[in-house]
Amino acid sequence: MKRRKYRSTKEDIIIDFVVYFSLIFLVIITLYPFLNTLAVSFNDALDSSKGGIYLWPRKFTLYNYRSLLNRNQIFQASLISVLRTVLSTLFCTFSTAMVAYTLSRKEFIFRKLFSFIYVLTMYIDGGLIPNYFLIRNLGLTNNFWVYVLPGLVTAFNLIVIRTYISGLPESLIESARVDGAGEFRIFTRIVLPLCKPVLATIALFVAVANWNAWFDTFLYNSSNPNLSTLQYELMKVLQSANTMTGSLEQALAQAATKSMNTITPRSIRATMTVIVTVPIAVVYPFLQRYFVHGLTLGGLKE
Amino acid sequence: MKTTPVTYELLTENITIQKKPFWQTLKKQKVLLFMSVPFVVHVIIFKYIPIWGWVLAFQNYWPQKGIFDQVWVGFDNFKWLFRDPVFYQVLRNTLAMSIIQLVFGMVSSILLALIINEVRLLFFKKTAQTISYLPHFISWVVAANLVRDALSTDGGIVNEVLMRLHIIKEPIMFLGIPQLFWWIIGASHVWKEVGWGAIIYLAAIASVDPNLYEAATIDGAGRLRRIWHVTLPSIQPIIIILLVMNMGYLLSSGFEQQYLLQNGRVIDYARVFTIYELDYGIKMMRYSFATAVGIFRSVVSLVLVFGANYLAKLLGQERLL
């Protein structure tokens, strides 16, 4: 909006007040839960249970983090979470771009058929049980690859990248072809570098979705603790609510009694939440413009 | 907020007419085939074979038996489904929560977009916006944790504030009250998605012709009347279209939120389709019955999506499908 000099009327002042007041309110209710959790995670567990921790720890301690990060279970889960996020992002972005390139070639004979096959998947869904049986019959239960394989190329990402490639100048691709470059070479040398902005966006969406996923672990890999992910570990802690029923809580409570310390379910939850959220919170400020960019790429722009 | 990409053009655009014989072209395009066919096979395996799995719903499926030894029961599973009182509960819960999320999600996002648009301090505007869509990127596992903490009877911030303001005398166990569950789902949905949802309306507001505001000002309209008579009518088409499109997803909106926030006391109000499928299918091993539930949801969703798209086309917005 253009900055203009004008006399503030009474209406202006009221509107400004309402606007700033409601935005500050929004910022507070958005940030408070995160800051409160952060404070609890750095506060002594027994002290936290007395209540009254708001934005700042009262009795500062690193014990919560030390005891959680020392657990092999958490270490292993972090490893799997990072691994699945990195691999999914790489494979998914590359293969989606590759298919998108072939579907953007106007001369490709299966262009229409393949596009249709992909687009239709946006509207049909086999349902939970048939998908479960498929994964089981493919031997992907208790298998790391169930995190990467099923969502390799999705119709939504494909269309976003395809639309972007279609907007690239055709002459670039033509001239490379005249110079004798094959399709794969054109794709890796010309199209991929030109697609950086859209690839960054898709990569970010895939990365966030993978980092945040827990349901696939729950459904397919829950009987193998070595394949657990951070989100699933946090989900288990959450589901066992305020009782020390989960195996992790029991192990931590035992360790705590040995070391003359205490740990409570609330502290475990808060600390886990921080561990799970930090990677997103750290990359978020730098990458949010790509996220927003991606939404408008999604096709709803005018 | 769901976005629907432009696929219409993709389906209707004419390919250039092939003059060479089919096999010759195929041979010439073998690299393109190598680059795409493996992934098309992949999508057929992971997306289309489950559809074939729908036959389970017409059998009394028992995993120990072979594929060809299953007992065929016709539509029995569907008959049981429509006789199951839990099914109607699930349908009610899913629709109620989807509608609450849709209505409150849209209204709050539109309001936020209008409010952000009125901010004149650029730094404040950017900061508030950035913070407002942060929760969109955290998982529901984390969000459910935060919601539980905020609503807990044991020092949860909501109870504390209400008690300080003397609205209530004793902490309320919000998550234990069945009638409140839908509204907690709605409120936490708004908390998580309001900023993200506003982006689309802000983009629409940004494209409003500045001359319209100029003209309105000259005609003596204040800020409120400019919002009412210029901004809102300008973004009305996108509001209608998003409303229609999202109606297509009424049955297929997420379940993670409900699954993670529910507990035994409120389950009658929290059970949505995927939870129903999980309970009957995976836990009770009534695979055929749960498949029938899935088919019902998929088919009704399909009808809703195409209905919504058809409606959108009638409203002159075909670019959305």
Side-chain angles (χ1 to χ4, degrees):
Chain A
M1 190 175 269
K2 241 192 317 188
R3 193 176 270 259
R4 227 173 334 159
K5 265 190 207 159
Y6 56 68
R7 274 203 315 259
S8 291
T9 59
K10 205 172 162 189
E11 187 193 2
D12 279 331
I13 296 167
I14 295 172
I15 290 185
D16 274 341
F17 178 77
V18 172
V19 161
Y20 288 104
F21 181 81
S22 40
L23 277 185
I24 288 169
F25 178 72
L26 178 78
V27 166
I28 290 173
I29 61 165
T30 307
L31 287 185
Y32 178 80
F34 292 103
L35 297 175
N36 179 244
T37 305
L38 196 64
V40 171
S41 77
F42 279 111
N43 198 60
D44 181 70
L46 202 63
D47 185 59
S48 300
S49 58
K50 287 177 201 150
I53 306 290
Y54 299 106
L55 293 172
W56 206 251
R58 189 166 48 206
K59 208 170 155 192
F60 184 84
T61 176
L62 287 173
Y63 179 77
N64 298 332
Y65 284 94
R66 256 187 289 137
S67 60
L68 264 176
L69 293 173
N70 273 340
R71 307 299 313 173
N72 280 335
Q73 203 180 341
I74 300 299
F75 180 75
Q76 177 75 11
S78 322
L79 211 65
I80 296 287
S81 277
V82 170
L83 201 62
R84 76 169 283 181
T85 305
V86 171
L87 288 180
S88 290
T89 310
L90 288 177
F91 287 154
C92 184
T93 315
F94 184 80
S95 28
T96 311
M98 192 152 82
V99 180
Y101 171 72
T102 66
L103 296 187
S104 74
R105 297 298 88 216
K106 289 212 171 64
E107 71 276 9
F108 185 37
I109 36 171
F110 292 132
R111 174 186 148 106
K112 245 182 149 176
L113 175 71
F114 287 178
S115 299
F116 181 75
I117 289 176
Y118 274 105
V119 168
L120 201 59
T121 63
M122 290 172 55
Y123 301 105
I124 51 163
D125 170 23
L128 189 78
I129 302 299
N131 275 316
Y132 176 76
F133 278 121
L134 174 76
I135 298 290
R136 223 172 64 169
N137 292 336
L138 289 174
L140 284 172
T141 42
N142 295 322
N143 187 330
F144 173 78
W145 292 100
V146 76
Y147 296 140
V148 181
L149 270 183
L152 203 54
V153 179
T154 61
F156 181 85
N157 295 343
L158 185 68
I159 289 159
V160 171
I161 302 184
R162 200 212 71 113
T163 311
Y164 193 88
I165 296 178
S166 302
L168 296 175
E170 188 66 32
S171 54
L172 277 174
I173 294 163
E174 270 314 311
S175 63
R177 190 165 293 144
V178 171
D179 289 346
E183 293 289 355
F184 191 70
R185 218 178 148 76
I186 295 176
F187 167 66
T188 52
R189 295 295 163 84
I190 313 246
V191 175
L192 270 190
L194 286 172
C195 282
K196 260 184 208 153
V198 72
L199 294 183
T201 307
I202 296 295
L204 284 166
F205 278 126
V206 175
V208 170
N210 270 281
W211 182 259
N212 282 343
W214 59 274
F215 193 57
D216 42 14
T217 318
F218 169 76
L219 208 53
Y220 306 124
N221 282 347
S222 53
S223 50
N224 187 345
N226 289 330
L227 293 173
S228 188
T229 52
L230 270 185
Q231 300 281 352
Y232 182 58
E233 289 300 318
L234 177 62
M235 180 267 182
K236 281 198 290 189
V237 176
L238 175 72
Q239 287 306 81
S240 56
N242 292 317
T243 50
M244 288 265 189
T245 50
S247 57
L248 179 66
E249 285 99 318
Q250 277 167 7
L252 285 171
Q254 272 168 16
T257 1
K258 266 185 210 151
S259 66
M260 306 293 281
N261 262 306
T262 37
I263 195 149
T264 59
R266 173 122 198 267
S267 304
I268 299 174
R269 276 200 293 139
T271 313
M272 282 284 280
T273 306
V274 174
I275 295 173
V276 167
T277 318
V278 155
I280 286 190
V282 168
V283 297
Y284 174 72
F286 304 101
L287 303 176
Q288 53 120 343
R289 68 196 175 98
Y290 286 111
F291 285 132
V292 177
H293 188 51
L295 189 77
T296 37
L297 272 177
L300 279 168
K301 65 179 171 189
E302 187 63 56
Chain B
M1 181 85 34
K2 286 196 178 71
T3 55
T4 313
V6 194
T7 58
Y8 184 71
E9 165 248 353
L10 187 125
L11 287 174
T12 53
E13 197 175 294
N14 286 323
I15 50 166
T16 43
I17 297 153
Q18 305 293 322
K19 283 173 190 150
K20 287 175 196 153
F22 181 77
W23 290 108
Q24 216 176 322
T25 323
L26 203 64
K27 211 177 157 193
K28 204 178 152 228
Q29 296 182 345
K30 64 175 184 294
V31 182
L32 285 179
L33 285 171
F34 276 124
M35 286 166 77
S36 57
V37 171
F39 297 101
V40 175
V41 173
H42 164 273
V43 82
I44 288 172
I45 292 174
F46 282 99
K47 295 285 181 182
Y48 287 90
I49 289 186
I51 307 293
W52 182 73
W54 281 8
V55 294
L56 254 68
F58 304 97
Q59 298 171 335
N60 193 358
Y61 183 76
W62 197 241
Q64 275 75 15
K65 289 187 198 167
I67 303 173
F68 302 103
D69 305 330
Q70 304 293 342
V71 185
W72 290 88
V73 295
F75 282 91
D76 280 5
N77 283 312
F78 289 94
K79 277 182 209 152
W80 287 328
L81 176 66
F82 293 127
R83 266 187 230 139
D84 185 1
V86 181
F87 167 74
Y88 294 98
Q89 204 182 54
V90 167
L91 193 61
R92 176 200 69 183
N93 294 343
T94 308
L95 282 176
M97 282 184 268
S98 294
I99 291 171
I100 290 174
Q101 288 180 341
L102 178 59
V103 171
F104 287 89
M106 281 191 81
V107 171
S108 60
S109 288
I110 294 167
L111 264 176
L112 179 64
L114 293 176
I115 287 173
I116 287 178
N117 193 48
E118 289 302 315
V119 177
R120 275 172 286 176
L121 297 171
L122 200 65
F123 170 77
F124 187 79
K125 188 174 179 168
K126 285 239 159 102
T127 314
Q129 229 186 319
T130 304
I131 290 171
S132 75
Y133 36 74
L134 173 67
H136 174 77
F137 295 104
I138 59 160
S139 66
W140 262 117
V141 181
V142 169
N145 249 317
L146 300 179
V147 171
R148 281 204 181 190
D149 275 344
L151 295 179
S152 89
T153 47
D154 179 23
I157 189 70
V158 175
N159 274 316
E160 292 240 331
V161 168
L162 289 177
M163 268 156 65
R164 292 265 172 93
L165 295 174
H166 299 287
I167 297 173
I168 53 171
K169 284 210 180 91
E170 288 193 340
I172 298 174
M173 211 170 107
F174 291 104
L175 279 166
I177 302 169
Q179 289 77 12
L180 267 184
F181 189 79
W182 293 351
W183 304 101
I184 291 171
I185 291 292
S188 49
H189 172 82
V190 168
W191 177 79
K192 197 169 181 290
E193 304 294 338
V194 61
W196 186 249
I199 295 176
I200 207 86
Y201 301 108
L202 276 167
I205 292 174
S207 65
V208 175
D209 186 358
N211 288 332
L212 289 174
Y213 290 109
E214 209 76 48
T217 318
I218 291 166
D219 288 346
R223 278 164 84 182
L224 213 52
R225 294 188 62 182
R226 285 203 294 270
I227 294 173
W228 187 254
H229 290 294
V230 180
T231 314
L232 271 181
S234 306
I235 63 171
Q236 192 194 349
I238 197 124
I239 294 177
I240 292 176
I241 219 66
L242 282 177
L243 182 70
V244 170
M245 296 307 295
N246 282 324
M247 269 155 46
Y249 297 102
L250 280 183
L251 286 194
S252 40
S253 62
F255 80 101
E256 292 191 14
Q257 200 185 352
Q258 286 88 348
Y259 188 84
L260 295 167
L261 283 173
Q262 49 115 358
N263 54 61
R265 287 184 206 201
V266 296
I267 187 66
D268 286 348
Y269 286 81
R271 205 184 273 117
V272 290
F273 273 104
T274 309
I275 297 178
Y276 190 45
E277 283 170 66
L278 262 178
D279 282 351
Y280 279 70
I282 310 284
K283 274 194 204 143
M284 298 184 202
M285 295 197 288
R286 288 176 64 184
Y287 299 116
S288 291
F289 183 78
T291 308
V293 177
I295 294 176
F296 173 82
R297 182 172 58 112
S298 292
V299 171
V300 175
S301 284
L302 198 67
V303 172
L304 280 176
V305 167
F306 277 96
N309 276 309
Y310 180 71
L311 203 61
K313 261 182 206 166
L314 280 188
L315 296 165
Q317 301 284 343
E318 60 237 83
R319 68 196 169 84
L320 275 160
L321 177 61

